[in-house]
Amino acid sequence: MRPSEQPYVAGFACLVGRPNAGKSTLTNALVGDKVAITSSKPQTTRHTIRGIVTGPASQLILVDTPGLHKARTLLGERLNDLVRATLLDVDVVGFCLPADQRIGPGDRFIANELTELMRGKKLPVVAIATKIDTVDKKRLAEHLIAIDQLADWAAIVPCSAARGDQVDDVLKVLTAYLPPSPGPLYPEGVVTDEETDTRIAELVREAALEGVRDELPHSIAVVVEEMTEREDAPADKPILDIQVNIFVERDSQKAIIIGKGGSRLREVGTEARAGIEKLLGRRVYLHLRVKVAKDWQRDPRQLQRLGF
């Protein structure tokens, strides 16, 4: 027993919800660092991202999943399978329901799946009303009542990850359901277990997602091809050259990403490089190439090559 006489707890929490429910923004707010990309476009997350929150008496490992949705492609089916597999291997679930949107069929679909888990696995599910900064008190009250009527939740917590309101409450409630542990599962100071090249690829994809047509984000995949030290760079100012391929499904989409005279691609590179340099703590030179991988979301071999 530690001096405080408080037993240490550690475990996994999964954030679920339909696309664009605020899961990635909440993950980043809880961790206090950018471990998940965010976008105004739905269905941004494609990998389970572990954000790690370590305190004096607890360690909460957040698994940020893709949004559960009605799958229309092989990629969509694989993302849904990823969510369901993740749900079977966590200690508590946070179900995100954005306050700026009415409860809809997608929320009920997820609520029904979670109800089965609560019955079968006795898995605690905490309903989290996200984006409360976007609505007035009357609308929030209506939203909380609607959430309560969906199922018998372990708890209901309203919060605004963007403004930081009641994020600590979400952390306390999720941590309350973690099992005892001899100590932390990850070393202190670690905020994610994602590989560096995966985080770099995600930062490029986040930059590419902004300002493009609604249908395009689903068609973008990013792969880091190579990272090498520039040999002729000064010893006191080393440069890391990073080769990145951005894959789209059609030539017309390639033209959108590149933009007139390459203007759009330069914007993507500038924005992504700033995030990558912050992540790595050093200067980088980003080489971006846009390639067409026809209908990759429906092709099993191409999905595997692109990491799905």
Side-chain angles (χ1 to χ4, degrees):
M1 191 74 74
R2 294 185 335 283
S4 64
E5 295 297 312
Q6 184 180 357
Y8 200 90
V9 296
F12 293 82
C14 180
L15 297 181
V16 301
R18 56 188 161 97
N20 213 20
K23 302 180 295 297
S24 296
T25 306
L26 180 56
T27 295
N28 292 337
L30 287 163
V31 174
D33 199 355
K34 186 165 188 166
V35 294
I37 72 167
T38 60
S39 170
S40 58
K41 307 296 181 187
Q43 201 57 33
T44 302
T45 305
R46 292 226 182 104
H47 303 273
T48 53
I49 310 253
R50 286 185 170 84
I52 304 163
V53 190
T54 304
S58 65
Q59 186 175 76
L60 178 72
I61 298 129
L62 286 156
V63 185
D64 177 34
T65 62
L68 271 170
H69 62 295
K70 188 174 181 180
R72 292 182 174 85
T73 64
L74 180 59
L75 172 63
E77 291 173 9
R78 290 190 177 181
L79 293 177
N80 277 347
D81 289 344
L82 183 65
V83 179
R84 293 186 180 107
T86 303
L87 287 172
L88 295 173
D89 205 27
V90 297
D91 302 295
V92 59
V93 173
F95 179 19
C96 296
L97 300 114
D100 62 344
Q101 299 170 46
R102 302 279 176 185
I103 301 294
D107 298 309
R108 294 187 184 92
F109 167 73
I110 297 168
N112 288 337
E113 294 221 358
L114 293 176
T115 298
E116 292 301 314
L117 273 173
M118 288 189 284
R119 285 181 190 147
K121 277 199 67 185
K122 306 298 182 189
L123 184 68
V125 178
V126 175
I128 304 170
T130 58
K131 307 185 184 183
I132 64 169
D133 58 301
T134 62
V135 298
D136 58 27
K137 289 182 180 179
K138 181 175 180 293
R139 169 71 194 114
L140 178 57
E142 292 170 354
H143 187 59
L144 293 174
I145 291 169
I147 290 174
D148 185 49
Q149 292 173 344
L150 270 178
D152 186 17
W153 310 116
I156 300 174
V157 188
C159 76
S160 165
R163 208 164 58 187
D165 295 349
Q166 293 175 241
V167 172
D168 285 346
D169 292 343
V170 175
L171 179 60
K172 286 175 187 172
V173 172
L174 293 177
T175 301
Y177 293 99
L178 300 183
S181 173
L185 304 175
Y186 287 86
E188 287 193 40
V190 174
V191 295
T192 183
D193 68 351
E194 281 282 68
E195 297 289 340
T196 300
D197 60 347
T198 301
R199 296 183 75 184
I200 289 170
E202 288 290 270
L203 287 167
V204 173
R205 191 161 68 90
E206 179 180 41
L209 283 172
E210 290 308 316
V212 296
R213 295 179 188 173
D214 288 346
E215 74 275 10
L216 192 53
H218 308 287
S219 302
I220 296 175
V222 178
V223 176
V224 175
E225 289 294 322
E226 190 177 28
M227 291 193 286
T228 55
E229 296 287 347
R230 186 176 296 187
E231 293 181 2
D232 59 355
D236 60 336
K237 291 183 179 179
I239 297 174
L240 183 67
D241 284 302
I242 305 176
Q243 301 275 356
V244 177
N245 288 337
I246 301 173
F247 291 94
V248 291
E249 293 187 297
R250 298 189 296 276
D251 286 324
S252 60
Q253 295 170 339
K254 180 177 178 178
I256 293 171
I257 292 292
I258 293 173
K260 188 176 181 180
S263 59
R264 173 77 191 124
L265 191 61
R266 283 194 295 273
E267 290 174 8
V268 172
T270 300
E271 186 176 338
R273 188 179 70 248
I276 293 166
E277 288 185 337
K278 183 179 178 183
L279 171 66
L280 301 180
R282 57 175 304 181
R283 293 169 68 206
V284 303
Y285 188 86
L286 201 56
H287 305 259
L288 298 180
R289 287 179 294 187
V290 185
K291 296 186 173 185
V292 176
K294 188 173 173 56
D295 293 330
W296 66 263
Q297 292 186 78
R298 294 172 172 82
D299 185 332
R301 281 187 296 182
Q302 293 203 84
L303 279 173
Q304 186 172 9
R305 184 165 66 92
L306 296 173
F308 299 104

